[in-house]
Amino acid sequence: MTGTQLTRRKRANGVESRQRILDAAVQIASERGYDGTSIAAVSARCGLPASSIYWHFRDKDDLLAAVIERSFETWLAAVDLPGEETGTPLQRIVAVGAAVAASLVDAPDFLRLGLMLALERRPEEPRGRAVFLQVREVARQKFTEVIETLLPDLDPANVRTVVTYALAGADGLFLQREIHGDVVDFTAMFELHARLVYEAALQMAPGTPQDQAQP
Amino acid sequence: MTGTQLTRRKRANGVESRQRILDAAVQIASERGYDGTSIAAVSARCGLPASSIYWHFRDKDDLLAAVIERSFETWLAAVDLPGEETGTPLQRIVAVGAAVAASLVDAPDFLRLGLMLALERRPEEPRGRAVFLQVREVARQKFTEVIETLLPDLDPANVRTVVTYALAGADGLFLQREIHGDVVDFTAMFELHARLVYEAALQMAPGTPQDQAQP
DNA sequence: AATCTACCGTAGCGATCGTTCTAGTTGTAG
DNA sequence: CTACAACTAGAACGATCGCTACGGTAGATT
């Protein structure tokens, strides 16, 4: 009686090897970019021969796409957006900003790798870049819904403007931290950003009541 | 009578070849990043053999550093910061934002390449990355002075916060445009950004008189 | 005319690239 | 036991990598 295993896939360390390969690949890709990520370097860092990498992944492009996918899932798990609390809209949007800031500190690989891939514009787009743009669009949609529920008076064009500005600010603050380190407090900058985004949205939709502006 | 040429350096197309090499290199580096920029590809695009590239530049790292340097000078020429006009601080800071926005549309290579290089973190840093970080620091210093003259009541810590937020926003908006194109009006986003930065600074230094907030 | 410097063209070096082939090895199923 | 699937090991492939050696050519200097 085999019992525990439902599927036929057994044999010990297949999944672990896959994770080790991905771990090595995400490190090297973060250091050296797409072209700089050589199979030999990944092989050396994870301790498995190149042929093992090619057993787990079709080719280099497939490997890098898997790296993006996994780092996205890791990041998604790191963001826990605050639920439907009963605070003011300002408090809620600041809470969202804080959650995003914390997730980017805990799991920066996704955005770092994604931005590196997104900045490149090679004739034939790597699959990883497409994956990044796609999941990023999902994130944008999620945030759009947050804005819409928090500020129902905002017309769609203004929503788009606010969301774009909010995401751009998040990208920029993340970049700042990646490049210069914590020259200023990252979480505090995100809180400032959230406040400013909210103020901007308020100015666009004057019908919304303004909560306590001064302490 | 040779006449026109003052210096001894003549022989036709040396400088022009150098420019052609740099033109090709900036294109390919924008498409494929540091490692992706192969000498063979640059050679093919500019029509000069690899040996000519190595006559003009010591090695690949030197070439990429020169690319960053030249694209920085091009960008610098594209920004013409508004002089000491007599408008309100808000008007002046919005004008600065508009000037930066226009320059990034006209000469995006510097920031695009620089960010690509800056995001990578290889064991041995490319010279181009150091060059980028250095001139970027100069730009930050310039903007710090603008803020200090416009808002003399702001204490240094707040100045740093405001400047960091302003630059991060500019980076983020630029990224947005690079990745998604003009999904929303780039110049308008920069104006919004300038306004928000100014409002944030005002809130930090309550002593400053506030100009016309509402039209 | 002779020389020199600036620059281009060809060929090729050793190293590394992505990828594949083939031959193991090892846990599980019949 | 045999059979097979899951995985690893090592060697090697053609292509391309960064880079160099070297000879040629054309304006400037003498």
Side-chain angles (χ1 to χ4, degrees):
Chain A
M1 65 180 66
T2 49
T4 54
Q5 49 263 38
L6 319 164
T7 66
R8 72 277 176 72
R9 51 161 30 263
K10 270 300 111 228
R11 171 60 196 270
N13 42 1
V15 273
E16 188 208 317
S17 292
R18 192 176 205 272
Q19 298 303 319
R20 277 182 36 205
I21 294 171
L22 287 174
D23 287 339
V26 74
Q27 287 175 29
I28 294 177
S30 282
E31 290 172 6
R32 325 185 63 114
Y34 185 87
D35 272 299
T37 305
S38 73
I39 300 294
V42 174
S43 164
R45 187 159 310 192
C46 72
L48 289 169
S51 56
S52 288
I53 298 179
Y54 279 93
W55 193 90
H56 288 281
F57 305 94
R58 186 150 38 85
D59 53 19
K60 173 174 164 173
D61 203 54
D62 190 42
L63 169 62
L64 269 295
V67 163
I68 291 276
E69 260 162 25
R70 199 191 60 158
S71 61
F72 171 66
E73 284 157 18
T74 305
W75 176 72
L76 251 197
V79 212
D80 57 335
L81 285 185
E84 319 227 344
E85 296 157 15
T86 53
T88 66
L90 210 210
Q91 287 170 339
R92 291 206 53 206
I93 211 171
V94 166
V96 170
V100 172
S103 71
L104 289 179
V105 172
D106 288 350
D109 291 328
F110 167 62
L111 193 52
R112 170 169 48 219
L113 273 174
L115 290 182
M116 289 173 71
L117 280 187
L119 271 176
E120 300 184 358
R121 293 152 153 257
R122 43 190 87 218
E124 23 169 330
E125 178 181 54
R127 263 190 57 211
R129 190 184 129 106
V131 169
F132 172 71
L133 294 182
Q134 174 188 321
V135 298
R136 183 182 170 86
E137 190 55 40
V138 172
R140 182 190 175 96
Q141 202 57 40
K142 276 268 174 62
F143 189 69
T144 299
E145 289 166 14
V146 170
I147 294 292
E148 280 170 345
T149 57
L150 251 49
L151 299 143
D153 291 353
L154 224 51
D155 62 280
N158 281 335
V159 167
R160 231 179 40 167
T161 299
V162 167
V163 168
T164 299
Y165 184 75
L167 294 191
D171 288 341
L173 290 174
F174 176 76
L175 267 183
Q176 200 84 27
R177 186 184 141 89
E178 284 294 310
I179 297 176
H180 302 289
D182 263 318
V183 50
V184 294
D185 185 70
F186 187 60
T187 312
M189 292 300 289
F190 252 85
E191 184 180 329
L192 170 64
H193 182 47
R195 277 204 302 111
L196 291 178
V197 165
Y198 182 66
E199 283 180 24
L202 271 195
Q203 290 173 13
M204 293 173 183
T208 313
Q210 53 201 65
D211 35 17
Q212 74 286 23
Q214 48 277 61
Chain B
M1 62 178 67
T2 49
T4 54
Q5 50 264 36
L6 318 164
T7 66
R8 72 279 175 73
R9 52 162 27 264
K10 269 304 107 220
R11 171 56 197 271
N13 40 2
V15 273
E16 187 208 317
S17 292
R18 192 176 205 272
Q19 298 302 320
R20 275 180 39 205
I21 294 171
L22 287 173
D23 287 339
V26 74
Q27 287 176 28
I28 294 177
S30 282
E31 290 172 7
R32 325 184 63 111
Y34 185 87
D35 272 297
T37 304
S38 72
I39 300 295
V42 174
S43 164
R45 186 159 310 191
C46 71
L48 289 169
S51 57
S52 288
I53 298 179
Y54 280 93
W55 193 90
H56 288 280
F57 304 95
R58 186 149 38 87
D59 53 19
K60 173 175 165 172
D61 203 53
D62 190 42
L63 168 63
L64 270 294
V67 164
I68 292 276
E69 261 161 24
R70 199 190 61 158
S71 62
F72 171 66
E73 285 157 18
T74 304
W75 175 73
L76 252 196
V79 212
D80 57 335
L81 285 185
E84 318 226 345
E85 295 157 15
T86 53
T88 66
L90 210 211
Q91 286 170 339
R92 292 206 51 205
I93 211 170
V94 166
V96 170
V100 172
S103 71
L104 289 179
V105 171
D106 287 351
D109 291 328
F110 167 62
L111 193 52
R112 170 170 49 218
L113 273 175
L115 290 182
M116 289 172 71
L117 280 186
L119 270 176
E120 299 184 356
R121 294 154 152 255
R122 42 189 89 218
E124 23 168 327
E125 180 181 52
R127 264 189 57 211
R129 189 184 130 106
V131 169
F132 172 71
L133 294 183
Q134 175 187 321
V135 297
R136 183 182 170 88
E137 190 53 40
V138 172
R140 183 191 175 94
Q141 203 57 40
K142 277 267 173 61
F143 189 69
T144 299
E145 290 165 14
V146 171
I147 293 292
E148 280 170 344
T149 57
L150 250 48
L151 299 144
D153 291 351
L154 223 53
D155 63 280
N158 281 335
V159 167
R160 233 180 38 168
T161 299
V162 168
V163 168
T164 299
Y165 184 75
L167 294 191
D171 288 341
L173 290 174
F174 176 77
L175 269 183
Q176 200 84 27
R177 185 183 141 91
E178 283 294 310
I179 297 176
H180 299 104
D182 263 318
V183 49
V184 295
D185 184 69
F186 187 59
T187 312
M189 293 300 289
F190 253 85
E191 184 180 329
L192 170 63
H193 181 47
R195 277 203 301 110
L196 291 178
V197 165
Y198 183 67
E199 282 180 24
L202 271 194
Q203 289 174 12
M204 293 174 182
T208 313
Q210 52 201 67
D211 34 17
Q212 74 286 22
Q214 47 279 64

PDB file of all heavy atoms in Angstrom, chain A residues 84-113:
ATOM      1  N   GLU A  84     -11.412  45.089   5.020  1.00  0.00           N
ATOM      2  CA  GLU A  84     -12.337  46.219   4.972  1.00  0.00           C
ATOM      3  C   GLU A  84     -12.494  46.819   6.353  1.00  0.00           C
ATOM      4  O   GLU A  84     -13.544  46.694   6.990  1.00  0.00           O
ATOM      5  CB  GLU A  84     -13.687  45.744   4.439  1.00  0.00           C
ATOM      6  CG  GLU A  84     -13.552  44.786   3.292  1.00  0.00           C
ATOM      7  CD  GLU A  84     -14.467  45.157   2.154  1.00  0.00           C
ATOM      8  OE1 GLU A  84     -15.392  45.951   2.366  1.00  0.00           O
ATOM      9  OE2 GLU A  84     -14.236  44.652   1.040  1.00  0.00           O
ATOM     10  N   GLU A  85     -11.481  47.486   6.823  1.00  0.00           N
ATOM     11  CA  GLU A  85     -11.560  48.091   8.134  1.00  0.00           C
ATOM     12  C   GLU A  85     -12.471  49.319   8.098  1.00  0.00           C
ATOM     13  O   GLU A  85     -12.896  49.775   7.053  1.00  0.00           O
ATOM     14  CB  GLU A  85     -10.170  48.483   8.612  1.00  0.00           C
ATOM     15  CG  GLU A  85      -9.268  47.271   8.809  1.00  0.00           C
ATOM     16  CD  GLU A  85      -7.815  47.663   8.718  1.00  0.00           C
ATOM     17  OE1 GLU A  85      -7.536  48.863   8.794  1.00  0.00           O
ATOM     18  OE2 GLU A  85      -6.977  46.769   8.542  1.00  0.00           O
ATOM     19  N   THR A  86     -12.724  49.836   9.260  1.00  0.00           N
ATOM     20  CA  THR A  86     -13.716  50.906   9.348  1.00  0.00           C
ATOM     21  C   THR A  86     -13.078  52.289   9.483  1.00  0.00           C
ATOM     22  O   THR A  86     -13.734  53.244   9.864  1.00  0.00           O
ATOM     23  CB  THR A  86     -14.637  50.654  10.552  1.00  0.00           C
ATOM     24  OG1 THR A  86     -13.809  50.470  11.704  1.00  0.00           O
ATOM     25  CG2 THR A  86     -15.477  49.419  10.325  1.00  0.00           C
ATOM     26  N   GLY A  87     -11.809  52.406   9.160  1.00  0.00           N
ATOM     27  CA  GLY A  87     -11.155  53.698   9.278  1.00  0.00           C
ATOM     28  C   GLY A  87     -11.601  54.656   8.181  1.00  0.00           C
ATOM     29  O   GLY A  87     -12.412  54.315   7.320  1.00  0.00           O
ATOM     30  N   THR A  88     -11.033  55.848   8.227  1.00  0.00           N
ATOM     31  CA  THR A  88     -11.324  56.806   7.169  1.00  0.00           C
ATOM     32  C   THR A  88     -10.649  56.355   5.891  1.00  0.00           C
ATOM     33  O   THR A  88      -9.725  55.516   5.929  1.00  0.00           O
ATOM     34  CB  THR A  88     -10.774  58.188   7.549  1.00  0.00           C
ATOM     35  OG1 THR A  88      -9.350  58.107   7.592  1.00  0.00           O
ATOM     36  CG2 THR A  88     -11.293  58.624   8.906  1.00  0.00           C
ATOM     37  N   PRO A  89     -11.102  56.877   4.758  1.00  0.00           N
ATOM     38  CA  PRO A  89     -10.422  56.552   3.496  1.00  0.00           C
ATOM     39  C   PRO A  89      -8.927  56.853   3.552  1.00  0.00           C
ATOM     40  O   PRO A  89      -8.125  56.065   3.050  1.00  0.00           O
ATOM     41  CB  PRO A  89     -11.137  57.447   2.490  1.00  0.00           C
ATOM     42  CG  PRO A  89     -12.503  57.605   3.043  1.00  0.00           C
ATOM     43  CD  PRO A  89     -12.355  57.602   4.535  1.00  0.00           C
ATOM     44  N   LEU A  90      -8.566  57.971   4.157  1.00  0.00           N
ATOM     45  CA  LEU A  90      -7.139  58.292   4.273  1.00  0.00           C
ATOM     46  C   LEU A  90      -6.390  57.204   5.009  1.00  0.00           C
ATOM     47  O   LEU A  90      -5.348  56.715   4.567  1.00  0.00           O
ATOM     48  CB  LEU A  90      -6.981  59.619   5.019  1.00  0.00           C
ATOM     49  CG  LEU A  90      -5.779  60.515   4.710  1.00  0.00           C
ATOM     50  CD1 LEU A  90      -5.363  61.313   5.920  1.00  0.00           C
ATOM     51  CD2 LEU A  90      -4.604  59.772   4.107  1.00  0.00           C
ATOM     52  N   GLN A  91      -6.960  56.795   6.155  1.00  0.00           N
ATOM     53  CA  GLN A  91      -6.301  55.747   6.931  1.00  0.00           C
ATOM     54  C   GLN A  91      -6.171  54.465   6.122  1.00  0.00           C
ATOM     55  O   GLN A  91      -5.143  53.778   6.167  1.00  0.00           O
ATOM     56  CB  GLN A  91      -7.086  55.477   8.215  1.00  0.00           C
ATOM     57  CG  GLN A  91      -6.935  56.592   9.243  1.00  0.00           C
ATOM     58  CD  GLN A  91      -7.899  56.441  10.400  1.00  0.00           C
ATOM     59  OE1 GLN A  91      -8.924  55.765  10.272  1.00  0.00           O
ATOM     60  NE2 GLN A  91      -7.586  57.070  11.520  1.00  0.00           N
ATOM     61  N   ARG A  92      -7.209  54.160   5.355  1.00  0.00           N
ATOM     62  CA  ARG A  92      -7.166  52.900   4.597  1.00  0.00           C
ATOM     63  C   ARG A  92      -6.125  52.959   3.495  1.00  0.00           C
ATOM     64  O   ARG A  92      -5.400  52.006   3.247  1.00  0.00           O
ATOM     65  CB  ARG A  92      -8.548  52.606   4.016  1.00  0.00           C
ATOM     66  CG  ARG A  92      -9.558  52.257   5.098  1.00  0.00           C
ATOM     67  CD  ARG A  92     -10.657  51.395   4.548  1.00  0.00           C
ATOM     68  NE  ARG A  92     -10.124  50.231   3.860  1.00  0.00           N
ATOM     69  CZ  ARG A  92     -10.769  49.599   2.891  1.00  0.00           C
ATOM     70  NH1 ARG A  92     -11.960  50.030   2.515  1.00  0.00           N
ATOM     71  NH2 ARG A  92     -10.246  48.551   2.321  1.00  0.00           N
ATOM     72  N   ILE A  93      -6.041  54.116   2.820  1.00  0.00           N
ATOM     73  CA  ILE A  93      -5.087  54.186   1.712  1.00  0.00           C
ATOM     74  C   ILE A  93      -3.653  54.208   2.243  1.00  0.00           C
ATOM     75  O   ILE A  93      -2.739  53.646   1.623  1.00  0.00           O
ATOM     76  CB  ILE A  93      -5.391  55.407   0.818  1.00  0.00           C
ATOM     77  CG1 ILE A  93      -4.987  55.094  -0.617  1.00  0.00           C
ATOM     78  CG2 ILE A  93      -4.700  56.649   1.295  1.00  0.00           C
ATOM     79  CD1 ILE A  93      -5.439  56.128  -1.589  1.00  0.00           C
ATOM     80  N   VAL A  94      -3.463  54.812   3.404  1.00  0.00           N
ATOM     81  CA  VAL A  94      -2.140  54.780   4.020  1.00  0.00           C
ATOM     82  C   VAL A  94      -1.790  53.348   4.428  1.00  0.00           C
ATOM     83  O   VAL A  94      -0.640  52.903   4.276  1.00  0.00           O
ATOM     84  CB  VAL A  94      -2.096  55.728   5.237  1.00  0.00           C
ATOM     85  CG1 VAL A  94      -0.859  55.460   6.076  1.00  0.00           C
ATOM     86  CG2 VAL A  94      -2.107  57.177   4.774  1.00  0.00           C
ATOM     87  N   ALA A  95      -2.802  52.620   4.900  1.00  0.00           N
ATOM     88  CA  ALA A  95      -2.564  51.223   5.286  1.00  0.00           C
ATOM     89  C   ALA A  95      -2.164  50.386   4.070  1.00  0.00           C
ATOM     90  O   ALA A  95      -1.265  49.538   4.155  1.00  0.00           O
ATOM     91  CB  ALA A  95      -3.810  50.648   5.952  1.00  0.00           C
ATOM     92  N   VAL A  96      -2.842  50.640   2.954  1.00  0.00           N
ATOM     93  CA  VAL A  96      -2.472  49.926   1.727  1.00  0.00           C
ATOM     94  C   VAL A  96      -1.032  50.250   1.350  1.00  0.00           C
ATOM     95  O   VAL A  96      -0.233  49.359   1.025  1.00  0.00           O
ATOM     96  CB  VAL A  96      -3.433  50.297   0.575  1.00  0.00           C
ATOM     97  CG1 VAL A  96      -2.899  49.757  -0.744  1.00  0.00           C
ATOM     98  CG2 VAL A  96      -4.818  49.738   0.850  1.00  0.00           C
ATOM     99  N   GLY A  97      -0.678  51.530   1.403  1.00  0.00           N
ATOM    100  CA  GLY A  97       0.693  51.928   1.097  1.00  0.00           C
ATOM    101  C   GLY A  97       1.694  51.242   2.002  1.00  0.00           C
ATOM    102  O   GLY A  97       2.731  50.750   1.542  1.00  0.00           O
ATOM    103  N   ALA A  98       1.372  51.172   3.285  1.00  0.00           N
ATOM    104  CA  ALA A  98       2.284  50.531   4.227  1.00  0.00           C
ATOM    105  C   ALA A  98       2.441  49.049   3.911  1.00  0.00           C
ATOM    106  O   ALA A  98       3.551  48.503   3.981  1.00  0.00           O
ATOM    107  CB  ALA A  98       1.775  50.719   5.655  1.00  0.00           C
ATOM    108  N   ALA A  99       1.330  48.414   3.543  1.00  0.00           N
ATOM    109  CA  ALA A  99       1.405  46.987   3.222  1.00  0.00           C
ATOM    110  C   ALA A  99       2.281  46.756   1.996  1.00  0.00           C
ATOM    111  O   ALA A  99       3.108  45.835   1.964  1.00  0.00           O
ATOM    112  CB  ALA A  99      -0.005  46.434   2.975  1.00  0.00           C
ATOM    113  N   VAL A 100       2.119  47.603   0.984  1.00  0.00           N
ATOM    114  CA  VAL A 100       2.939  47.466  -0.223  1.00  0.00           C
ATOM    115  C   VAL A 100       4.406  47.719   0.098  1.00  0.00           C
ATOM    116  O   VAL A 100       5.291  46.975  -0.353  1.00  0.00           O
ATOM    117  CB  VAL A 100       2.445  48.429  -1.319  1.00  0.00           C
ATOM    118  CG1 VAL A 100       3.402  48.437  -2.496  1.00  0.00           C
ATOM    119  CG2 VAL A 100       1.049  48.038  -1.779  1.00  0.00           C
ATOM    120  N   ALA A 101       4.662  48.745   0.884  1.00  0.00           N
ATOM    121  CA  ALA A 101       6.042  49.047   1.251  1.00  0.00           C
ATOM    122  C   ALA A 101       6.688  47.860   1.956  1.00  0.00           C
ATOM    123  O   ALA A 101       7.804  47.444   1.616  1.00  0.00           O
ATOM    124  CB  ALA A 101       6.088  50.286   2.146  1.00  0.00           C
ATOM    125  N   ALA A 102       5.973  47.308   2.912  1.00  0.00           N
ATOM    126  CA  ALA A 102       6.529  46.175   3.654  1.00  0.00           C
ATOM    127  C   ALA A 102       6.788  44.988   2.735  1.00  0.00           C
ATOM    128  O   ALA A 102       7.827  44.319   2.840  1.00  0.00           O
ATOM    129  CB  ALA A 102       5.582  45.774   4.784  1.00  0.00           C
ATOM    130  N   SER A 103       5.869  44.743   1.810  1.00  0.00           N
ATOM    131  CA  SER A 103       6.045  43.603   0.910  1.00  0.00           C
ATOM    132  C   SER A 103       7.255  43.802   0.001  1.00  0.00           C
ATOM    133  O   SER A 103       7.960  42.847  -0.310  1.00  0.00           O
ATOM    134  CB  SER A 103       4.789  43.409   0.070  1.00  0.00           C
ATOM    135  OG  SER A 103       4.674  44.446  -0.883  1.00  0.00           O
ATOM    136  N   LEU A 104       7.490  45.046  -0.390  1.00  0.00           N
ATOM    137  CA  LEU A 104       8.628  45.294  -1.280  1.00  0.00           C
ATOM    138  C   LEU A 104       9.956  45.195  -0.542  1.00  0.00           C
ATOM    139  O   LEU A 104      10.992  44.923  -1.151  1.00  0.00           O
ATOM    140  CB  LEU A 104       8.489  46.677  -1.928  1.00  0.00           C
ATOM    141  CG  LEU A 104       7.376  46.783  -2.968  1.00  0.00           C
ATOM    142  CD1 LEU A 104       7.293  48.198  -3.531  1.00  0.00           C
ATOM    143  CD2 LEU A 104       7.596  45.780  -4.096  1.00  0.00           C
ATOM    144  N   VAL A 105       9.919  45.400   0.755  1.00  0.00           N
ATOM    145  CA  VAL A 105      11.132  45.191   1.546  1.00  0.00           C
ATOM    146  C   VAL A 105      11.374  43.696   1.727  1.00  0.00           C
ATOM    147  O   VAL A 105      12.498  43.204   1.601  1.00  0.00           O
ATOM    148  CB  VAL A 105      11.023  45.896   2.913  1.00  0.00           C
ATOM    149  CG1 VAL A 105      12.188  45.513   3.813  1.00  0.00           C
ATOM    150  CG2 VAL A 105      10.988  47.406   2.718  1.00  0.00           C
ATOM    151  N   ASP A 106      10.290  42.976   2.002  1.00  0.00           N
ATOM    152  CA  ASP A 106      10.427  41.542   2.266  1.00  0.00           C
ATOM    153  C   ASP A 106      10.706  40.741   1.001  1.00  0.00           C
ATOM    154  O   ASP A 106      11.467  39.773   1.039  1.00  0.00           O
ATOM    155  CB  ASP A 106       9.140  41.018   2.930  1.00  0.00           C
ATOM    156  CG  ASP A 106       9.016  41.503   4.361  1.00  0.00           C
ATOM    157  OD1 ASP A 106       9.996  42.076   4.871  1.00  0.00           O
ATOM    158  OD2 ASP A 106       7.943  41.321   4.962  1.00  0.00           O
ATOM    159  N   ALA A 107      10.073  41.114  -0.090  1.00  0.00           N
ATOM    160  CA  ALA A 107      10.184  40.327  -1.330  1.00  0.00           C
ATOM    161  C   ALA A 107      10.432  41.250  -2.516  1.00  0.00           C
ATOM    162  O   ALA A 107       9.540  41.496  -3.322  1.00  0.00           O
ATOM    163  CB  ALA A 107       8.925  39.488  -1.540  1.00  0.00           C
ATOM    164  N   PRO A 108      11.647  41.779  -2.622  1.00  0.00           N
ATOM    165  CA  PRO A 108      11.915  42.764  -3.681  1.00  0.00           C
ATOM    166  C   PRO A 108      12.239  42.153  -5.039  1.00  0.00           C
ATOM    167  O   PRO A 108      12.274  42.877  -6.037  1.00  0.00           O
ATOM    168  CB  PRO A 108      13.140  43.517  -3.139  1.00  0.00           C
ATOM    169  CG  PRO A 108      13.860  42.493  -2.337  1.00  0.00           C
ATOM    170  CD  PRO A 108      12.814  41.561  -1.771  1.00  0.00           C
ATOM    171  N   ASP A 109      12.438  40.839  -5.082  1.00  0.00           N
ATOM    172  CA  ASP A 109      12.930  40.231  -6.318  1.00  0.00           C
ATOM    173  C   ASP A 109      11.989  40.445  -7.481  1.00  0.00           C
ATOM    174  O   ASP A 109      12.421  40.722  -8.603  1.00  0.00           O
ATOM    175  CB  ASP A 109      13.141  38.729  -6.100  1.00  0.00           C
ATOM    176  CG  ASP A 109      14.295  38.468  -5.161  1.00  0.00           C
ATOM    177  OD1 ASP A 109      15.251  39.263  -5.169  1.00  0.00           O
ATOM    178  OD2 ASP A 109      14.239  37.474  -4.413  1.00  0.00           O
ATOM    179  N   PHE A 110      10.717  40.304  -7.211  1.00  0.00           N
ATOM    180  CA  PHE A 110       9.749  40.393  -8.306  1.00  0.00           C
ATOM    181  C   PHE A 110       9.844  41.732  -9.021  1.00  0.00           C
ATOM    182  O   PHE A 110      10.027  41.794 -10.241  1.00  0.00           O
ATOM    183  CB  PHE A 110       8.332  40.185  -7.770  1.00  0.00           C
ATOM    184  CG  PHE A 110       7.271  40.554  -8.750  1.00  0.00           C
ATOM    185  CD1 PHE A 110       7.160  39.901  -9.960  1.00  0.00           C
ATOM    186  CD2 PHE A 110       6.385  41.585  -8.466  1.00  0.00           C
ATOM    187  CE1 PHE A 110       6.180  40.244 -10.872  1.00  0.00           C
ATOM    188  CE2 PHE A 110       5.406  41.940  -9.375  1.00  0.00           C
ATOM    189  CZ  PHE A 110       5.306  41.270 -10.579  1.00  0.00           C
ATOM    190  N   LEU A 111       9.762  42.817  -8.274  1.00  0.00           N
ATOM    191  CA  LEU A 111       9.755  44.125  -8.911  1.00  0.00           C
ATOM    192  C   LEU A 111      11.121  44.461  -9.504  1.00  0.00           C
ATOM    193  O   LEU A 111      11.208  45.021 -10.595  1.00  0.00           O
ATOM    194  CB  LEU A 111       9.321  45.199  -7.907  1.00  0.00           C
ATOM    195  CG  LEU A 111       8.981  46.552  -8.523  1.00  0.00           C
ATOM    196  CD1 LEU A 111       7.976  46.417  -9.652  1.00  0.00           C
ATOM    197  CD2 LEU A 111       8.444  47.508  -7.469  1.00  0.00           C
ATOM    198  N   ARG A 112      12.179  44.090  -8.799  1.00  0.00           N
ATOM    199  CA  ARG A 112      13.517  44.378  -9.327  1.00  0.00           C
ATOM    200  C   ARG A 112      13.753  43.669 -10.657  1.00  0.00           C
ATOM    201  O   ARG A 112      14.109  44.289 -11.663  1.00  0.00           O
ATOM    202  CB  ARG A 112      14.574  43.937  -8.327  1.00  0.00           C
ATOM    203  CG  ARG A 112      15.977  43.986  -8.899  1.00  0.00           C
ATOM    204  CD  ARG A 112      17.021  43.796  -7.835  1.00  0.00           C
ATOM    205  NE  ARG A 112      16.747  42.664  -6.964  1.00  0.00           N
ATOM    206  CZ  ARG A 112      16.943  42.634  -5.672  1.00  0.00           C
ATOM    207  NH1 ARG A 112      17.410  43.704  -5.078  1.00  0.00           N
ATOM    208  NH2 ARG A 112      16.676  41.568  -4.960  1.00  0.00           N
ATOM    209  N   LEU A 113      13.502  42.377 -10.666  1.00  0.00           N
ATOM    210  CA  LEU A 113      13.680  41.615 -11.898  1.00  0.00           C
ATOM    211  C   LEU A 113      12.736  42.100 -12.988  1.00  0.00           C
ATOM    212  O   LEU A 113      13.123  42.265 -14.146  1.00  0.00           O
ATOM    213  CB  LEU A 113      13.412  40.134 -11.633  1.00  0.00           C
ATOM    214  CG  LEU A 113      14.598  39.336 -11.158  1.00  0.00           C
ATOM    215  CD1 LEU A 113      14.170  37.932 -10.804  1.00  0.00           C
ATOM    216  CD2 LEU A 113      15.647  39.309 -12.249  1.00  0.00           C
TER     217      LEU A 113
END
